mmCIF file of all heavy atoms in Angstrom:
data_model
loop_
_atom_site.group_PDB
_atom_site.id
_atom_site.type_symbol
_atom_site.label_atom_id
_atom_site.label_comp_id
_atom_site.label_asym_id
_atom_site.label_seq_id
_atom_site.Cartn_x
_atom_site.Cartn_y
_atom_site.Cartn_z
ATOM 1 N N ASN D 255 80.612 92.525 51.553
ATOM 2 C CA ASN D 255 80.858 93.511 50.496
ATOM 3 C C ASN D 255 79.547 94.049 49.929
ATOM 4 O O ASN D 255 79.423 95.239 49.639
ATOM 5 C CB ASN D 255 81.695 92.900 49.375
ATOM 6 C CG ASN D 255 83.140 92.662 49.789
ATOM 7 O OD1 ASN D 255 83.633 93.283 50.734
ATOM 8 N ND2 ASN D 255 83.819 91.752 49.101
ATOM 9 N N LYS D 256 78.561 93.171 49.780
ATOM 10 C CA LYS D 256 77.264 93.605 49.267
ATOM 11 C C LYS D 256 76.565 94.513 50.269
ATOM 12 O O LYS D 256 75.980 95.541 49.894
ATOM 13 C CB LYS D 256 76.385 92.389 48.971
ATOM 14 C CG LYS D 256 75.052 92.740 48.311
ATOM 15 C CD LYS D 256 75.255 93.357 46.941
ATOM 16 C CE LYS D 256 73.939 93.582 46.222
ATOM 17 N NZ LYS D 256 74.126 94.156 44.866
ATOM 18 N N LEU D 257 76.623 94.162 51.535
ATOM 19 C CA LEU D 257 76.006 95.000 52.561
ATOM 20 C C LEU D 257 76.657 96.381 52.608
ATOM 21 O O LEU D 257 75.971 97.405 52.718
ATOM 22 C CB LEU D 257 76.112 94.315 53.935
ATOM 23 C CG LEU D 257 75.195 93.103 54.152
ATOM 24 C CD1 LEU D 257 75.586 92.378 55.437
ATOM 25 C CD2 LEU D 257 73.724 93.526 54.214
ATOM 26 N N GLU D 258 77.995 96.423 52.525
ATOM 27 C CA GLU D 258 78.681 97.709 52.549
ATOM 28 C C GLU D 258 78.301 98.542 51.325
ATOM 29 O O GLU D 258 78.085 99.759 51.428
ATOM 30 C CB GLU D 258 80.193 97.521 52.610
ATOM 31 C CG GLU D 258 80.932 98.848 52.732
ATOM 32 C CD GLU D 258 82.406 98.672 53.039
ATOM 33 O OE1 GLU D 258 82.975 97.623 52.692
ATOM 34 O OE2 GLU D 258 82.991 99.606 53.625
ATOM 35 N N TYR D 259 78.212 97.900 50.168
ATOM 36 C CA TYR D 259 77.806 98.616 48.959
ATOM 37 C C TYR D 259 76.413 99.224 49.125
ATOM 38 O O TYR D 259 76.184 100.389 48.777
ATOM 39 C CB TYR D 259 77.825 97.661 47.766
ATOM 40 C CG TYR D 259 77.190 98.240 46.524
ATOM 41 C CD1 TYR D 259 77.886 99.134 45.705
ATOM 42 C CD2 TYR D 259 75.880 97.919 46.189
ATOM 43 C CE1 TYR D 259 77.302 99.685 44.571
ATOM 44 C CE2 TYR D 259 75.274 98.472 45.069
ATOM 45 C CZ TYR D 259 75.990 99.342 44.260
ATOM 46 O OH TYR D 259 75.395 99.901 43.147
ATOM 47 N N LEU D 260 75.478 98.449 49.664
ATOM 48 C CA LEU D 260 74.111 98.931 49.851
ATOM 49 C C LEU D 260 74.065 100.130 50.801
ATOM 50 O O LEU D 260 73.342 101.099 50.567
ATOM 51 C CB LEU D 260 73.234 97.803 50.401
ATOM 52 C CG LEU D 260 72.934 96.640 49.452
ATOM 53 C CD1 LEU D 260 72.311 95.478 50.220
ATOM 54 C CD2 LEU D 260 72.021 97.081 48.314
ATOM 55 N N LEU D 261 74.854 100.070 51.869
ATOM 56 C CA LEU D 261 74.829 101.138 52.864
ATOM 57 C C LEU D 261 75.575 102.383 52.389
ATOM 58 O O LEU D 261 75.208 103.502 52.741
ATOM 59 C CB LEU D 261 75.422 100.627 54.181
ATOM 60 C CG LEU D 261 74.553 99.577 54.896
ATOM 61 C CD1 LEU D 261 75.337 98.910 56.018
ATOM 62 C CD2 LEU D 261 73.275 100.210 55.434
ATOM 63 N N ARG D 262 76.614 102.200 51.609
ATOM 64 C CA ARG D 262 77.302 103.366 51.024
ATOM 65 C C ARG D 262 76.388 104.054 50.020
ATOM 66 O O ARG D 262 76.355 105.288 49.935
ATOM 67 C CB ARG D 262 78.592 102.922 50.334
ATOM 68 C CG ARG D 262 79.753 102.681 51.281
ATOM 69 C CD ARG D 262 80.990 102.279 50.498
ATOM 70 N NE ARG D 262 82.166 102.138 51.357
ATOM 71 C CZ ARG D 262 83.350 101.719 50.922
ATOM 72 N NH1 ARG D 262 83.496 101.385 49.650
ATOM 73 N NH2 ARG D 262 84.364 101.619 51.754
ATOM 74 N N GLU D 263 75.672 103.245 49.241
ATOM 75 C CA GLU D 263 74.773 103.790 48.230
ATOM 76 C C GLU D 263 73.642 104.587 48.868
ATOM 77 O O GLU D 263 73.251 105.648 48.374
ATOM 78 C CB GLU D 263 74.202 102.641 47.393
ATOM 79 C CG GLU D 263 73.344 103.081 46.223
ATOM 80 C CD GLU D 263 72.815 101.901 45.446
ATOM 81 O OE1 GLU D 263 72.123 101.044 46.056
ATOM 82 O OE2 GLU D 263 73.066 101.818 44.233
ATOM 83 N N ASP D 264 73.130 104.084 49.996
ATOM 84 C CA ASP D 264 72.042 104.773 50.698
ATOM 85 C C ASP D 264 72.117 104.432 52.186
ATOM 86 O O ASP D 264 71.616 103.394 52.617
ATOM 87 C CB ASP D 264 70.691 104.357 50.127
ATOM 88 C CG ASP D 264 69.529 105.103 50.779
ATOM 89 O OD1 ASP D 264 69.774 105.908 51.699
ATOM 90 O OD2 ASP D 264 68.369 104.854 50.382
ATOM 91 N N PRO D 265 72.735 105.282 53.010
ATOM 92 C CA PRO D 265 72.869 105.021 54.447
ATOM 93 C C PRO D 265 71.533 104.928 55.178
ATOM 94 O O PRO D 265 71.473 104.403 56.301
ATOM 95 C CB PRO D 265 73.680 106.232 54.954
ATOM 96 C CG PRO D 265 74.365 106.768 53.745
ATOM 97 C CD PRO D 265 73.418 106.524 52.607
ATOM 98 N N GLY D 266 70.462 105.423 54.559
ATOM 99 C CA GLY D 266 69.151 105.392 55.201
ATOM 100 C C GLY D 266 68.394 104.092 55.028
ATOM 101 O O GLY D 266 67.279 103.950 55.530
ATOM 102 N N ARG D 267 69.001 103.152 54.346
ATOM 103 C CA ARG D 267 68.325 101.874 54.126
ATOM 104 C C ARG D 267 68.112 101.123 55.439
ATOM 105 O O ARG D 267 68.921 101.213 56.368
ATOM 106 C CB ARG D 267 69.124 101.000 53.168
ATOM 107 C CG ARG D 267 68.897 101.347 51.705
ATOM 108 C CD ARG D 267 69.685 100.429 50.804
ATOM 109 N NE ARG D 267 69.166 100.474 49.439
ATOM 110 C CZ ARG D 267 69.918 100.501 48.352
ATOM 111 N NH1 ARG D 267 71.235 100.506 48.464
ATOM 112 N NH2 ARG D 267 69.366 100.529 47.154
ATOM 113 N N ARG D 268 67.017 100.354 55.490
ATOM 114 C CA ARG D 268 66.772 99.459 56.623
ATOM 115 C C ARG D 268 66.840 98.032 56.090
ATOM 116 O O ARG D 268 65.961 97.560 55.373
ATOM 117 C CB ARG D 268 65.405 99.733 57.241
ATOM 118 C CG ARG D 268 65.269 101.156 57.765
ATOM 119 C CD ARG D 268 63.988 101.351 58.531
ATOM 120 N NE ARG D 268 63.647 102.766 58.635
ATOM 121 C CZ ARG D 268 62.581 103.221 59.279
ATOM 122 N NH1 ARG D 268 61.764 102.376 59.881
ATOM 123 N NH2 ARG D 268 62.323 104.519 59.322
ATOM 124 N N ILE D 269 67.914 97.356 56.456
ATOM 125 C CA ILE D 269 68.222 96.046 55.887
ATOM 126 C C ILE D 269 67.953 94.950 56.919
ATOM 127 O O ILE D 269 68.494 94.972 58.027
ATOM 128 C CB ILE D 269 69.696 95.976 55.438
ATOM 129 C CG1 ILE D 269 69.982 97.081 54.411
ATOM 130 C CG2 ILE D 269 70.019 94.605 54.862
ATOM 131 C CD1 ILE D 269 71.451 97.194 54.021
ATOM 132 N N LEU D 270 67.145 93.985 56.534
ATOM 133 C CA LEU D 270 66.894 92.810 57.363
ATOM 134 C C LEU D 270 67.725 91.667 56.799
ATOM 135 O O LEU D 270 67.588 91.304 55.628
ATOM 136 C CB LEU D 270 65.411 92.454 57.347
ATOM 137 C CG LEU D 270 64.982 91.245 58.178
ATOM 138 C CD1 LEU D 270 65.328 91.444 59.658
ATOM 139 C CD2 LEU D 270 63.486 90.987 58.015
ATOM 140 N N TYR D 271 68.596 91.105 57.650
ATOM 141 C CA TYR D 271 69.543 90.079 57.202
ATOM 142 C C TYR D 271 69.227 88.732 57.847
ATOM 143 O O TYR D 271 69.161 88.620 59.077
ATOM 144 C CB TYR D 271 70.974 90.507 57.547
ATOM 145 C CG TYR D 271 72.007 89.452 57.221
ATOM 146 C CD1 TYR D 271 72.357 89.206 55.904
ATOM 147 C CD2 TYR D 271 72.608 88.699 58.226
ATOM 148 C CE1 TYR D 271 73.287 88.228 55.588
ATOM 149 C CE2 TYR D 271 73.542 87.731 57.916
ATOM 150 C CZ TYR D 271 73.880 87.494 56.595
ATOM 151 O OH TYR D 271 74.789 86.537 56.275
ATOM 152 N N PHE D 272 69.032 87.711 57.010
ATOM 153 C CA PHE D 272 68.809 86.343 57.492
ATOM 154 C C PHE D 272 70.114 85.578 57.372
ATOM 155 O O PHE D 272 70.558 85.226 56.273
ATOM 156 C CB PHE D 272 67.708 85.653 56.680
ATOM 157 C CG PHE D 272 66.328 86.179 56.981
ATOM 158 C CD1 PHE D 272 65.758 87.163 56.196
ATOM 159 C CD2 PHE D 272 65.607 85.693 58.072
ATOM 160 C CE1 PHE D 272 64.490 87.662 56.474
ATOM 161 C CE2 PHE D 272 64.342 86.184 58.357
ATOM 162 C CZ PHE D 272 63.786 87.165 57.562
ATOM 163 N N GLY D 273 70.742 85.325 58.519
ATOM 164 C CA GLY D 273 72.054 84.692 58.545
ATOM 165 C C GLY D 273 72.019 83.199 58.281
ATOM 166 O O GLY D 273 70.989 82.538 58.405
ATOM 167 N N THR D 274 73.197 82.663 57.939
ATOM 168 C CA THR D 274 73.338 81.238 57.651
ATOM 169 C C THR D 274 73.272 80.413 58.928
ATOM 170 O O THR D 274 72.688 79.331 58.962
ATOM 171 C CB THR D 274 74.681 80.981 56.939
ATOM 172 O OG1 THR D 274 74.908 81.997 55.962
ATOM 173 C CG2 THR D 274 74.695 79.622 56.282
ATOM 174 N N THR D 275 73.884 80.915 59.981
ATOM 175 C CA THR D 275 73.841 80.307 61.313
ATOM 176 C C THR D 275 73.817 81.439 62.343
ATOM 177 O O THR D 275 73.985 82.612 61.991
ATOM 178 C CB THR D 275 75.091 79.438 61.580
ATOM 179 O OG1 THR D 275 76.250 80.280 61.593
ATOM 180 C CG2 THR D 275 75.255 78.344 60.524
ATOM 181 N N VAL D 276 73.669 81.093 63.593
ATOM 182 C CA VAL D 276 73.709 82.100 64.656
ATOM 183 C C VAL D 276 75.054 82.804 64.676
ATOM 184 O O VAL D 276 75.138 84.040 64.711
ATOM 185 C CB VAL D 276 73.421 81.454 66.028
ATOM 186 C CG1 VAL D 276 73.700 82.444 67.157
ATOM 187 C CG2 VAL D 276 71.976 80.971 66.107
ATOM 188 N N GLN D 277 76.128 82.021 64.652
ATOM 189 C CA GLN D 277 77.467 82.611 64.735
ATOM 190 C C GLN D 277 77.773 83.473 63.515
ATOM 191 O O GLN D 277 78.404 84.535 63.633
ATOM 192 C CB GLN D 277 78.521 81.506 64.888
ATOM 193 C CG GLN D 277 78.465 80.778 66.221
ATOM 194 C CD GLN D 277 78.650 81.723 67.402
ATOM 195 O OE1 GLN D 277 79.452 82.662 67.357
ATOM 196 N NE2 GLN D 277 77.902 81.493 68.473
ATOM 197 N N GLN D 278 77.333 83.030 62.343
ATOM 198 C CA GLN D 278 77.588 83.805 61.133
ATOM 199 C C GLN D 278 76.836 85.134 61.164
ATOM 200 O O GLN D 278 77.353 86.167 60.751
ATOM 201 C CB GLN D 278 77.185 82.973 59.903
ATOM 202 C CG GLN D 278 77.712 83.513 58.588
ATOM 203 C CD GLN D 278 76.683 84.372 57.864
ATOM 204 O OE1 GLN D 278 75.600 84.652 58.366
ATOM 205 N NE2 GLN D 278 77.057 84.817 56.668
ATOM 206 N N SER D 279 75.613 85.124 61.676
ATOM 207 C CA SER D 279 74.836 86.353 61.810
ATOM 208 C C SER D 279 75.527 87.313 62.781
ATOM 209 O O SER D 279 75.605 88.525 62.527
ATOM 210 C CB SER D 279 73.424 86.029 62.293
ATOM 211 O OG SER D 279 72.661 87.199 62.472
#
């Protein structure tokens, strides 16, 4: 939900995501 909010707010964002595990990422 947070990621979707960030991308709706600004589709041009470049987001680096550090996942909890490989499968979760």
Side-chain angles (χ1 to χ4, degrees):
N255 289 339
K256 185 64 174 181
L257 287 170
E258 184 170 26
Y259 170 80
L260 291 168
L261 291 168
R262 281 181 175 176
E263 185 180 58
D264 183 358
R267 278 181 162 138
R268 300 188 199 181
I269 302 174
L270 180 60
Y271 175 74
F272 288 95
T274 318
T275 64
V276 170
Q277 292 301 321
Q278 194 263 5
S279 178

